[in-house]
Amino acid sequence: MRRVVVTGMGAVTPFGAGVDLLWNSLLSNKNGISKIKHLELHGDIVQIAGVLPTLDHQPFLEKDPVLFTRTPEDDSVRSFFVAVYEALNQAGLHPLKMASTDMIACCIADRKMGLIQYIEQYAPLLKAVNKENGFDNNSYYNLLKTTRLGKMTRFDDSDSINHFVARIYHITGPQLSVATACASSNTAIGEAFMKIKYGYVEAAIVGGAYNLDLNSMIGFTRIGALTSNPDPEIACRPFDARRDGFVMGSGCGILILESLEFARCRGASILGEIVGYGYFSDAYRSTDPDPKALASTATIQSCLKMARIYPEEIGYINAHGTSTKMNDLTETVAIKRALKEHAYQIPISSTKSMIGHSIMASAAIEGIVCLKSIQTGLVHPTRNWIERDPELDLDYVPNQRPREIKLKYALSNSFGFGGQNSSILYRKFF
Amino acid sequence: MLSTNAVITGIGILSPIGIGIEAHLYGLKKGFTGLKPVQEKIFDHFIAKVPDFCPGEYIRNKKALKFFSQQTKFGCTAAELAIRDAHLTPEVFKQDSQNNALIIGAGNTLGLRPIAEALVPCVNEQGLIDYVEFGETGYRRLPPLWILSRLPNTTAGQISIEYGIQGLNYSIVNGVNSGIVALGEAFLLIKHGRAFRVICGGIEDEIMPDSFHRLLQDSYAVEMIEDSKPFCHDSQGFACSEGTALFIIETEAEALERQAKIYGEIVGYSNYYVPERCKDKQLAIHFKKCMLKALEMAGISPMKVDFIQASAGGIERLDFAEAMAIQEIFGERPFVTTAQAHVGNTLVASGSISVVFACLGLVTGLIAPLQNYTKLYFDPGLHYIKERAVEAQSHYCLINSFSHLGETCTIILKKRSTI
């Protein structure tokens, strides 16, 4: 079976553009969570998040005139492209210069474009047709046909970031837009990893991209998953006793995966290797993880099994660590069940403690963090982990400085609504 | 686990023709179509609907129905129909739960009607949203679990809960091709021993006025269903319709051991992308590559293919290039038809519904004809099935799904002797 290596990484996070900026900010225990200004949120709809930064795209995009002229006009998609650009450049992979791109896959998880971004244009129409006896489809449709709506982007509503990446870089290989809610980009990385391992493709642009919108803020507030703490400095506190819900985030994390042969043939620098992928489903409830953590335990175990390693070889766990009561508890249970007594020896941290939960993008950003930890021998702290929860008794790297460790393997966990669990195991490249 | 063959042993389908494989078999024999000319120019007549759909008849967790979206109702119904058709029981799934998987192509049109109930009371007379009122009271009119209907993986999650499926579970949001790509990826899962059994296919959501209006604006869909004429020069676009098709795919060994009926074996799959908006010969090159790669994986020559379930749905640019590509690879030999002539374009489910028609063609020998055609591309030159269904013993069927967004996918099915 072929080995799969990582040759490029790119990130856009609430800290700004670039993997180095992300990494240095995490090591400094900085806060990337702030008040949301680009959406009108009032009342008890949660109003803090890790917000996508306003980027000056020009310095990134003017280096490549083709990229600049063909990037979609939507600002969030343009920002995502800054991460794609960074990752491809680091990998030295230039699809536009290749004779064929059939063997490059695009597997980036992202949220679907939706009409919610144009809600203000549609609001008067919705009001006109929503009568006491219900919503009248026919009147709504007739109004749509006779109303001149303002400028909208040229997106087809089904377009995904994979389409844009393929169009801009002229990539003809397979596309897989994966959705497993909060675990999406881990599943995307894992499925692309399997495709390369089995020889269906040589390389893949993988990861996740997400920008929060009105739907997500009202939806996740309504379901009670978000913190009610309005203070962006202390609201997100994974594994801490006073945690009470997650904080939304946004961003984009991109990794370039390749078969070892392809990477060597190109003379690419290798940043790390993927050696394990685990995936099992709770089949329990749509909204809650299984408190016994059976499937998440099996997910971690199968990841180790695929890599043929023992628990004591794992040097670091980048946890899903959302800051909800249930996730942090069941993730702790799963780690202990899967890794037995060695679970207590492994430093664990939550990247979400500083940038919030960027849903489709979070696992990819956390994969990048794992690789940076492997490269540097440093583990970033978990911001706001101050007071120990008696039920959570593992080594959550606390709210202080980064920790130096010797590290060969790093595990990245991600779990999603619908009971979807996934783990990816990264290894130092030898 | 060893590399193994993947066979289709169960089908759950909802389309404008009806609900369940029996309704479609009956329709095929009687020459039914689910597409009726538009009688009255109102929105309710522009979408071909699944007739007489009562989800309570199929969905186990009836209490949960109230928070299910149409996508989840369609999906859970199709899963139940497929499981019944395969003569499986929920207990079988629970016995070896981690070796059962789910890969679902999930359509999610994300229209604005679901938010209207909460939003409208907060829109003032000038049509402006009062966000303060919306935040203080308005959004609370949404049900607490409302966000679940906005997540594309909710239906797959619900199916896993209903049947205790604990293996790999993910949804695909590749647009129109999602359903058939789900089938192809499920095939690879079985082939590489990552699961014994997979529920897979495509599930479309309710098509709402605003999302339909966007499709019309982009000139993909037609308002009058009769204006859609697959493979014809004068087609105006595709007919929009509701639908879902899920399959049970198993290892050949599992299927044989329990003496399951087998609709066909999946032997070829390809998935590529067309990054530029091209047409004619240039687009046909991409479509040819997709079909040839699937043939290569199947290890067969074009001469072996007996009939083709084409992607053609009435978009002139795509239909012409597909006809050209088929003609250049296969010539006049195989029969050519398209399921979209009978059920319209069910978006995410369209490719998987084409696979259902292919399965019926392989097991019954009946291949449905084209409908509502005028002057067909490359006619003569392609062996279109016209007027009535043909009876032919076929061994291999090739199924295409070519999306207006650039995705291309081909599946090849091989006839098996047992059903």
Side-chain angles (χ1 to χ4, degrees):
Chain A
M1 210 80 81
R2 300 177 349 145
R3 291 172 69 182
V4 179
V5 295
V6 181
T7 56
M9 302 189 291
V12 169
T13 66
F15 295 126
V19 168
D20 287 343
L21 177 60
L22 165 70
W23 183 238
N24 291 330
S25 303
L26 294 173
L27 293 182
S28 309
N29 202 29
K30 276 190 181 168
N31 181 28
I33 294 164
S34 59
K35 174 111 173 126
I36 299 169
K37 292 179 183 156
H38 69 290
L39 296 174
E40 275 230 49
L41 302 172
H42 296 273
D44 57 4
I45 302 175
V46 172
Q47 292 160 35
I48 58 166
V51 178
L52 199 67
T54 304
L55 296 179
D56 177 6
H57 301 113
Q58 200 71 18
F60 297 98
L61 301 176
E62 71 185 2
K63 292 174 192 163
D64 189 335
V66 176
L67 184 62
F68 183 67
T69 53
R70 291 174 64 188
T71 307
E73 67 257 44
D74 181 286
D75 270 351
S76 67
V77 179
R78 277 196 167 180
S79 295
F80 300 157
F81 264 88
V82 172
V84 177
Y85 188 79
E86 181 186 12
L88 283 170
N89 270 343
Q90 185 178 31
L93 187 68
H94 303 294
L96 287 167
K97 293 179 183 168
M98 293 169 73
S100 169
T101 50
D102 282 354
M103 293 301 276
I104 300 177
C106 292
C107 305
I108 305 168
D110 71 337
R111 97 301 194 205
K112 203 177 157 193
M113 311 292 167
L115 294 177
I116 193 75
Q117 59 188 314
Y118 309 119
I119 189 71
E120 291 185 356
Q121 291 194 42
Y122 282 88
L125 283 65
L126 293 167
K127 185 177 177 66
V129 298
N130 202 48
K131 305 295 180 194
E132 277 179 12
N133 54 350
F135 192 92
D136 179 0
N137 267 346
N138 296 318
S139 304
Y140 183 35
Y141 180 67
N142 287 333
L143 256 183
L144 283 166
K145 285 192 69 175
T146 54
T147 305
R148 192 183 168 84
L149 293 164
K151 184 178 177 291
M152 295 189 188
T153 60
R154 291 189 306 258
F155 297 157
D156 183 287
D157 294 334
S158 302
D159 263 329
S160 77
I161 190 169
N162 287 318
H163 293 149
F164 296 126
V165 169
R167 287 172 200 158
I168 286 164
Y169 292 104
H170 205 276
I171 294 170
T172 52
Q175 299 222 340
L176 195 61
S177 298
V178 161
T180 50
C182 312
S184 296
S185 47
N186 244 15
T187 312
I189 292 167
E191 290 303 310
F193 161 67
M194 298 305 283
K195 281 194 181 302
I196 295 171
K197 215 166 150 62
Y198 288 125
Y200 291 106
V201 292
E202 291 295 345
I205 302 169
V206 306
Y210 186 79
N211 193 15
L212 48 91
D213 59 17
L214 188 63
N215 266 342
S216 52
M217 293 315 298
I218 61 177
F220 285 114
T221 300
R222 192 77 185 94
I223 205 169
L226 300 181
T227 175
S228 56
N229 185 336
D231 184 348
E233 287 297 321
I234 57 170
C236 193
R237 39 197 328 118
F239 302 109
D240 183 85
R242 287 177 291 158
R243 71 193 185 279
D244 70 343
F246 76 83
V247 173
M248 290 292 294
S250 44
C252 181
I254 300 292
L255 298 99
I256 307 299
L257 310 188
E258 302 183 51
S259 69
L260 178 59
E261 296 85 342
F262 190 66
R264 277 195 170 141
C265 192
R266 295 193 311 108
S269 298
I270 293 169
L271 309 174
E273 185 172 1
I274 296 181
V275 290
Y277 168 39
Y279 46 80
F280 287 109
S281 310
D282 285 351
Y284 178 68
R285 278 188 199 155
S286 290
T287 49
D288 304 315
D290 171 12
K292 292 180 183 162
L294 298 176
S296 44
T297 301
T299 294
I300 296 170
Q301 285 171 331
S302 67
C303 199
L304 269 64
K305 190 176 169 191
M306 182 183 279
R308 297 181 182 176
I309 66 161
Y310 295 104
E312 46 270 37
E313 294 179 80
I314 294 183
Y316 167 58
I317 297 175
N318 188 294
H320 187 51
T322 58
S323 181
T324 64
K325 285 281 179 201
M326 277 306 285
N327 173 81
D328 296 358
L329 175 61
T330 53
E331 184 169 14
T332 297
V333 171
I335 292 169
K336 288 200 282 193
R337 288 178 63 129
L339 306 179
K340 306 285 186 300
E341 64 277 10
H342 186 69
Y344 296 90
Q345 313 302 318
I346 305 172
I348 297 169
S349 59
S350 166
T351 304
K352 293 181 182 78
S353 67
M354 288 181 241
I355 60 171
H357 187 348
S358 50
I359 313 290
M360 321 295 270
S362 60
I365 293 170
E366 288 155 16
I368 290 169
V369 170
C370 284
L371 287 160
K372 289 303 288 184
S373 288
I374 288 171
Q375 283 179 338
T376 60
L378 292 170
V379 169
H380 75 70
T382 299
R383 197 165 194 280
N384 290 322
W385 188 91
I386 295 166
E387 186 180 333
R388 184 176 282 284
D389 179 331
E391 289 187 283
L392 310 187
D393 52 356
L394 297 178
D395 178 17
Y396 315 102
V397 180
N399 185 27
Q400 290 162 8
R401 286 181 295 279
R403 188 184 296 175
E404 280 187 47
I405 52 167
K406 281 197 172 176
L407 179 60
K408 188 173 164 191
Y409 290 93
L411 182 75
S412 175
N413 288 336
S414 279
F415 310 130
F417 268 35
Q420 296 180 306
N421 308 294
S422 64
S423 294
I424 300 280
L425 190 64
Y426 296 89
R427 183 171 72 179
K428 197 178 186 90
F429 180 73
F430 300 100
Chain B
M1 286 188 270
L2 297 171
S3 175
T4 186
N5 297 335
V7 293
I8 298 175
T9 57
I11 295 173
I13 179 169
L14 301 90
S15 86
I17 288 179
I19 298 171
I21 194 71
E22 290 300 328
H24 287 77
L25 193 54
Y26 184 75
L28 175 63
K29 286 176 180 166
K30 297 287 182 187
F32 286 175
T33 169
L35 302 179
K36 310 279 188 304
V38 172
Q39 298 298 322
E40 204 181 340
K41 281 190 150 189
I42 58 172
F43 174 75
D44 289 349
H45 289 250
F46 299 146
I47 310 291
K49 306 268 187 189
V50 174
D52 307 320
F53 177 49
C54 300
E57 288 177 29
Y58 308 95
I59 294 172
R60 289 164 180 271
N61 185 355
K62 294 188 175 40
K63 277 189 189 166
L65 267 175
K66 62 175 185 270
F67 76 82
F68 281 4
S69 65
Q70 185 77 334
Q71 186 213 63
T72 305
K73 289 174 188 168
F74 278 161
C76 290
T77 300
E80 175 67 19
L81 288 168
I83 288 166
R84 287 182 197 175
D85 185 47
H87 297 293
L88 289 166
T89 60
E91 289 67 38
V92 173
F93 284 93
K94 283 172 187 155
Q95 275 164 18
D96 199 2
S97 59
Q98 292 188 345
N99 279 315
N100 292 302
L102 271 162
I103 305 182
I104 301 294
N108 202 333
T109 50
L110 294 184
L112 293 173
R113 204 187 68 197
I115 202 176
E117 181 195 341
L119 186 77
V120 166
C122 310
V123 178
N124 66 21
E125 291 309 313
Q126 287 74 45
L128 300 172
I129 301 170
D130 181 340
Y131 283 105
V132 174
E133 191 184 342
F134 183 65
E136 286 174 354
T137 58
Y139 92 101
R140 291 198 162 273
R141 294 187 187 95
L142 296 171
L145 299 180
W146 178 78
I147 191 67
L148 295 183
S149 66
R150 319 306 286 170
L151 302 176
N153 65 310
T154 292
T155 301
Q158 192 60 40
I159 296 171
S160 81
I161 292 164
E162 299 230 347
Y163 300 99
I165 295 169
Q166 293 191 304
L168 180 65
N169 174 354
Y170 70 87
S171 299
I172 298 177
V173 285
N174 275 42
V176 169
N177 267 29
S178 306
I180 197 162
V181 168
L183 187 77
E185 295 299 321
F187 158 60
L188 298 183
L189 212 60
I190 298 268
K191 186 175 154 72
H192 293 291
R194 295 174 65 197
F196 292 156
R197 191 178 294 112
V198 191
I199 298 181
C200 58
I203 307 167
E204 189 46 73
D205 203 352
E206 181 180 3
I207 297 161
M208 295 183 192
D210 39 25
S211 43
F212 177 69
H213 181 243
R214 295 271 283 170
L215 284 169
L216 276 187
Q217 281 184 318
D218 292 339
S219 305
Y220 293 129
V222 293
E223 198 172 58
M224 310 296 281
I225 286 171
E226 56 270 34
D227 288 340
S228 177
K229 300 171 185 175
F231 281 129
C232 291
H233 293 77
D234 55 346
S235 181
Q236 310 286 311
F238 63 70
C240 225
S241 50
E242 294 180 342
T244 288
L246 294 184
F247 303 89
I248 307 287
I249 298 184
E250 297 181 78
T251 63
E252 183 184 32
E254 288 279 317
L256 293 177
E257 190 181 317
R258 64 183 191 86
Q259 297 183 307
K261 68 183 172 193
I262 295 175
Y263 285 101
E265 178 185 346
I266 305 171
V267 291
Y269 163 53
S270 63
N271 173 8
Y272 288 99
Y273 192 72
V274 183
E276 70 272 32
R277 194 179 166 82
C278 53
K279 60 180 189 175
D280 302 337
K281 185 97 185 157
Q282 205 187 348
L283 183 56
I285 290 169
H286 287 281
F287 291 170
K288 277 172 69 177
K289 175 180 74 183
C290 191
M291 289 187 270
L292 289 169
K293 289 286 181 183
L295 288 166
E296 187 182 312
M297 182 187 267
I300 60 170
S301 75
M303 289 299 290
K304 290 274 189 185
V305 173
D306 300 300
F307 77 100
I308 294 172
Q309 274 293 343
S311 175
I315 297 177
E316 186 188 353
R317 182 176 69 94
L318 302 179
D319 293 6
F320 178 77
E322 185 179 17
M324 180 185 270
I326 292 172
Q327 213 274 339
E328 288 182 13
I329 297 174
F330 300 96
E332 279 189 89
R333 207 191 81 81
F335 292 111
V336 176
T337 188
T338 171
Q340 292 207 31
H342 296 263
V343 296
N345 188 335
T346 53
L347 305 176
V348 157
S350 58
S352 46
I353 287 182
S354 298
V355 174
V356 174
F357 276 65
C359 287
L360 291 178
L362 286 175
V363 297
T364 65
L366 272 178
I367 310 170
L370 297 171
Q371 300 276 346
N372 190 33
Y373 57 88
T374 49
K375 176 83 178 90
L376 295 158
Y377 298 126
F378 297 92
D379 184 30
L382 283 179
H383 197 166
Y384 289 115
I385 303 174
K386 301 175 186 175
E387 296 177 13
R388 62 181 64 88
V390 297
E391 270 196 83
Q393 288 306 311
S394 306
H395 296 95
Y396 287 97
C397 175
L398 178 143
I399 306 105
N400 285 332
S401 184
F402 301 149
S403 142
H404 60 277
L405 296 176
E407 281 145 349
T408 65
C409 179
T410 296
I411 293 271
I412 296 175
L413 287 186
K414 179 184 177 186
K415 183 182 170 71
R416 297 296 302 255
S417 55
T418 53
I419 182 158

